Amino acid sequence: MLGRLMALLRGGERGVLAALMIGMALAYDLNILVREFFVSQSHRFVWIEEAALFALAWLVFLGLGAALERGRHVAMAALRARLPEPLRRPVVLAINVTGLVFALYAAKISLELTLFVRASGQESPTLGVSMAWLYAAMPIGFALLALRYLRETLGFSNRFAGSGGQDY
């Protein structure tokens, strides 16, 4: 059951990350075409840069958990490799617990910031949407990262054993 939920989460993350990347690329292509060939209409497309910045923020934070699961975060591999076998497990546990605590704290702080921004009524200048949409990437991304650290801590996954078994 838990494995199936994680597979759904991974698939959803992969789809959203791919859509954001493709959307950003297409939006920038459109922006370039308009600026080159339809200069008089370029003022109508000023929103593209701001939308791409929103997408980039979401890419960064949504990618945190996926990157950890694939073993792409700093893992002190050189230190681990030099430790005798009996010490490796406690060091890995300490790394994972530290990461979990940090991710949970960052999720809490960023959620508070997101709620503050939402309550303040700040809007993006060109998109006209609440800036909370931009800030919401942080608590969601850190929560997904915390989930991955929790799985590592409880032994449900092992990013040190390779790519985490996931094909992103």
Tab-separated table of all heavy atoms in Angstrom, residues 125-151:
chain	number	residue	atom	x	y	z
A	125	PRO	N	3.086	41.366	-9.931
A	125	PRO	CA	2.800	42.542	-10.754
A	125	PRO	C	2.183	42.243	-12.118
A	125	PRO	O	1.254	42.932	-12.534
A	125	PRO	CB	4.161	43.210	-10.927
A	125	PRO	CG	5.062	42.596	-9.927
A	125	PRO	CD	4.478	41.285	-9.547
A	126	THR	N	2.670	41.240	-12.813
A	126	THR	CA	2.169	41.005	-14.172
A	126	THR	C	1.138	39.894	-14.267
A	126	THR	O	0.285	39.924	-15.136
A	126	THR	CB	3.322	40.700	-15.156
A	126	THR	OG1	4.023	39.551	-14.697
A	126	THR	CG2	4.274	41.879	-15.256
A	127	LEU	N	1.210	38.915	-13.370
A	127	LEU	CA	0.245	37.819	-13.421
A	127	LEU	C	-1.038	38.147	-12.671
A	127	LEU	O	-2.097	37.602	-12.981
A	127	LEU	CB	0.851	36.536	-12.845
A	127	LEU	CG	2.009	35.927	-13.619
A	127	LEU	CD1	2.596	34.748	-12.855
A	127	LEU	CD2	1.563	35.497	-15.003
A	128	GLY	N	-0.932	38.995	-11.668
A	128	GLY	CA	-2.109	39.363	-10.885
A	128	GLY	C	-2.632	38.258	-9.988
A	128	GLY	O	-3.799	38.255	-9.624
A	129	VAL	N	-1.776	37.310	-9.631
A	129	VAL	CA	-2.170	36.243	-8.716
A	129	VAL	C	-1.471	36.462	-7.377
A	129	VAL	O	-0.468	37.171	-7.287
A	129	VAL	CB	-1.823	34.836	-9.263
A	129	VAL	CG1	-2.540	34.570	-10.566
A	129	VAL	CG2	-0.332	34.657	-9.422
A	130	SER	N	-1.990	35.844	-6.352
A	130	SER	CA	-1.400	35.975	-5.034
A	130	SER	C	0.033	35.454	-5.043
A	130	SER	O	0.334	34.386	-5.603
A	130	SER	CB	-2.219	35.175	-4.019
A	130	SER	OG	-1.552	35.137	-2.774
A	131	MET	N	0.915	36.195	-4.388
A	131	MET	CA	2.306	35.762	-4.273
A	131	MET	C	2.419	34.510	-3.410
A	131	MET	O	3.447	33.838	-3.415
A	131	MET	CB	3.167	36.884	-3.698
A	131	MET	CG	3.397	38.028	-4.679
A	131	MET	SD	4.272	37.514	-6.167
A	131	MET	CE	5.910	37.258	-5.529
A	132	ALA	N	1.347	34.180	-2.703
A	132	ALA	CA	1.353	32.949	-1.911
A	132	ALA	C	1.553	31.734	-2.809
A	132	ALA	O	2.103	30.723	-2.365
A	132	ALA	CB	0.058	32.819	-1.112
A	133	TRP	N	1.126	31.818	-4.068
A	133	TRP	CA	1.346	30.704	-5.008
A	133	TRP	C	2.833	30.460	-5.218
A	133	TRP	O	3.262	29.320	-5.360
A	133	TRP	CB	0.661	30.954	-6.344
A	133	TRP	CG	-0.805	30.755	-6.276
A	133	TRP	CD1	-1.770	31.718	-6.260
A	133	TRP	CD2	-1.484	29.500	-6.193
A	133	TRP	NE1	-3.009	31.146	-6.159
A	133	TRP	CE2	-2.865	29.779	-6.119
A	133	TRP	CE3	-1.071	28.176	-6.157
A	133	TRP	CZ2	-3.829	28.788	-6.028
A	133	TRP	CZ3	-2.031	27.187	-6.059
A	133	TRP	CH2	-3.386	27.493	-6.005
A	134	LEU	N	3.609	31.511	-5.233
A	134	LEU	CA	5.060	31.369	-5.371
A	134	LEU	C	5.646	30.771	-4.102
A	134	LEU	O	6.420	29.811	-4.153
A	134	LEU	CB	5.693	32.734	-5.659
A	134	LEU	CG	7.217	32.790	-5.711
A	134	LEU	CD1	7.734	31.945	-6.871
A	134	LEU	CD2	7.685	34.214	-5.843
A	135	TYR	N	5.261	31.310	-2.959
A	135	TYR	CA	5.804	30.866	-1.683
A	135	TYR	C	5.353	29.451	-1.311
A	135	TYR	O	6.032	28.763	-0.560
A	135	TYR	CB	5.412	31.844	-0.575
A	135	TYR	CG	6.199	33.131	-0.623
A	135	TYR	CD1	5.805	34.178	-1.454
A	135	TYR	CD2	7.344	33.298	0.141
A	135	TYR	CE1	6.524	35.361	-1.508
A	135	TYR	CE2	8.068	34.466	0.098
A	135	TYR	CZ	7.650	35.499	-0.728
A	135	TYR	OH	8.377	36.660	-0.782
A	136	ALA	N	4.212	29.022	-1.810
A	136	ALA	CA	3.689	27.691	-1.471
A	136	ALA	C	4.597	26.562	-1.945
A	136	ALA	O	4.534	25.455	-1.409
A	136	ALA	CB	2.288	27.514	-2.056
A	137	ALA	N	5.449	26.845	-2.912
A	137	ALA	CA	6.380	25.817	-3.378
A	137	ALA	C	7.303	25.360	-2.249
A	137	ALA	O	7.687	24.186	-2.197
A	137	ALA	CB	7.200	26.339	-4.553
A	138	MET	N	7.652	26.278	-1.363
A	138	MET	CA	8.597	25.934	-0.287
A	138	MET	C	8.038	24.920	0.698
A	138	MET	O	8.671	23.874	0.907
A	138	MET	CB	9.071	27.206	0.429
A	138	MET	CG	9.939	28.093	-0.435
A	138	MET	SD	10.630	29.507	0.458
A	138	MET	CE	9.154	30.374	0.971
A	139	PRO	N	6.908	25.175	1.355
A	139	PRO	CA	6.452	24.169	2.329
A	139	PRO	C	6.126	22.829	1.681
A	139	PRO	O	6.370	21.771	2.280
A	139	PRO	CB	5.208	24.807	2.964
A	139	PRO	CG	4.796	25.903	2.066
A	139	PRO	CD	6.030	26.352	1.344
A	140	ILE	N	5.604	22.854	0.474
A	140	ILE	CA	5.299	21.590	-0.204
A	140	ILE	C	6.583	20.839	-0.523
A	140	ILE	O	6.708	19.637	-0.267
A	140	ILE	CB	4.444	21.844	-1.460
A	140	ILE	CG1	3.057	22.350	-1.049
A	140	ILE	CG2	4.345	20.584	-2.320
A	140	ILE	CD1	2.204	22.852	-2.183
A	141	GLY	N	7.555	21.551	-1.059
A	141	GLY	CA	8.831	20.916	-1.396
A	141	GLY	C	9.554	20.371	-0.177
A	141	GLY	O	10.071	19.250	-0.188
A	142	PHE	N	9.580	21.164	0.904
A	142	PHE	CA	10.248	20.692	2.123
A	142	PHE	C	9.483	19.536	2.766
A	142	PHE	O	10.092	18.644	3.355
A	142	PHE	CB	10.451	21.830	3.116
A	142	PHE	CG	11.608	22.727	2.745
A	142	PHE	CD1	11.409	24.079	2.548
A	142	PHE	CD2	12.889	22.223	2.596
A	142	PHE	CE1	12.462	24.915	2.210
A	142	PHE	CE2	13.950	23.038	2.248
A	142	PHE	CZ	13.739	24.396	2.062
A	143	ALA	N	8.159	19.529	2.662
A	143	ALA	CA	7.384	18.399	3.187
A	143	ALA	C	7.697	17.130	2.399
A	143	ALA	O	7.842	16.047	2.987
A	143	ALA	CB	5.887	18.708	3.138
A	144	LEU	N	7.820	17.254	1.094
A	144	LEU	CA	8.183	16.094	0.269
A	144	LEU	C	9.606	15.620	0.595
A	144	LEU	O	9.886	14.421	0.606
A	144	LEU	CB	8.049	16.426	-1.213
A	144	LEU	CG	6.614	16.609	-1.703
A	144	LEU	CD1	6.593	17.170	-3.120
A	144	LEU	CD2	5.841	15.304	-1.625
A	145	LEU	N	10.484	16.556	0.866
A	145	LEU	CA	11.843	16.202	1.267
A	145	LEU	C	11.817	15.488	2.620
A	145	LEU	O	12.487	14.469	2.808
A	145	LEU	CB	12.715	17.454	1.337
A	145	LEU	CG	14.169	17.258	1.760
A	145	LEU	CD1	14.912	16.350	0.774
A	145	LEU	CD2	14.864	18.613	1.881
A	146	ALA	N	11.024	16.004	3.562
A	146	ALA	CA	10.910	15.368	4.884
A	146	ALA	C	10.375	13.946	4.751
A	146	ALA	O	10.852	13.035	5.439
A	146	ALA	CB	10.007	16.200	5.796
A	147	LEU	N	9.403	13.757	3.864
A	147	LEU	CA	8.869	12.414	3.627
A	147	LEU	C	9.977	11.468	3.170
A	147	LEU	O	10.076	10.339	3.656
A	147	LEU	CB	7.752	12.459	2.590
A	147	LEU	CG	7.195	11.107	2.138
A	147	LEU	CD1	6.520	10.396	3.303
A	147	LEU	CD2	6.242	11.297	0.973
A	148	ARG	N	10.823	11.935	2.270
A	148	ARG	CA	11.919	11.082	1.780
A	148	ARG	C	12.919	10.790	2.897
A	148	ARG	O	13.398	9.669	3.031
A	148	ARG	CB	12.632	11.754	0.613
A	148	ARG	CG	11.959	11.803	-0.745
A	148	ARG	CD	10.772	10.945	-0.950
A	148	ARG	NE	10.353	10.781	-2.310
A	148	ARG	CZ	9.729	11.676	-3.049
A	148	ARG	NH1	9.463	12.872	-2.580
A	148	ARG	NH2	9.358	11.397	-4.280
A	149	TYR	N	13.251	11.810	3.708
A	149	TYR	CA	14.169	11.569	4.830
A	149	TYR	C	13.545	10.602	5.842
A	149	TYR	O	14.236	9.757	6.407
A	149	TYR	CB	14.549	12.872	5.524
A	149	TYR	CG	15.770	13.542	4.935
A	149	TYR	CD1	15.689	14.809	4.393
A	149	TYR	CD2	17.007	12.904	4.940
A	149	TYR	CE1	16.804	15.432	3.860
A	149	TYR	CE2	18.129	13.514	4.404
A	149	TYR	CZ	18.021	14.772	3.870
A	149	TYR	OH	19.134	15.384	3.339
A	150	LEU	N	12.246	10.716	6.072
A	150	LEU	CA	11.571	9.790	6.985
A	150	LEU	C	11.657	8.367	6.458
A	150	LEU	O	11.955	7.433	7.214
A	150	LEU	CB	10.110	10.210	7.176
A	150	LEU	CG	9.278	9.330	8.111
A	150	LEU	CD1	9.849	9.356	9.527
A	150	LEU	CD2	7.825	9.789	8.107
A	151	ARG	N	11.408	8.186	5.179
A	151	ARG	CA	11.513	6.849	4.579
A	151	ARG	C	12.929	6.292	4.729
A	151	ARG	O	13.110	5.113	5.013
A	151	ARG	CB	11.111	6.890	3.102
A	151	ARG	CG	9.618	7.050	2.890
A	151	ARG	CD	9.259	7.125	1.409
A	151	ARG	NE	9.880	6.099	0.577
A	151	ARG	CZ	9.463	4.834	0.473
A	151	ARG	NH1	8.408	4.438	1.148
A	151	ARG	NH2	10.092	3.981	-0.311
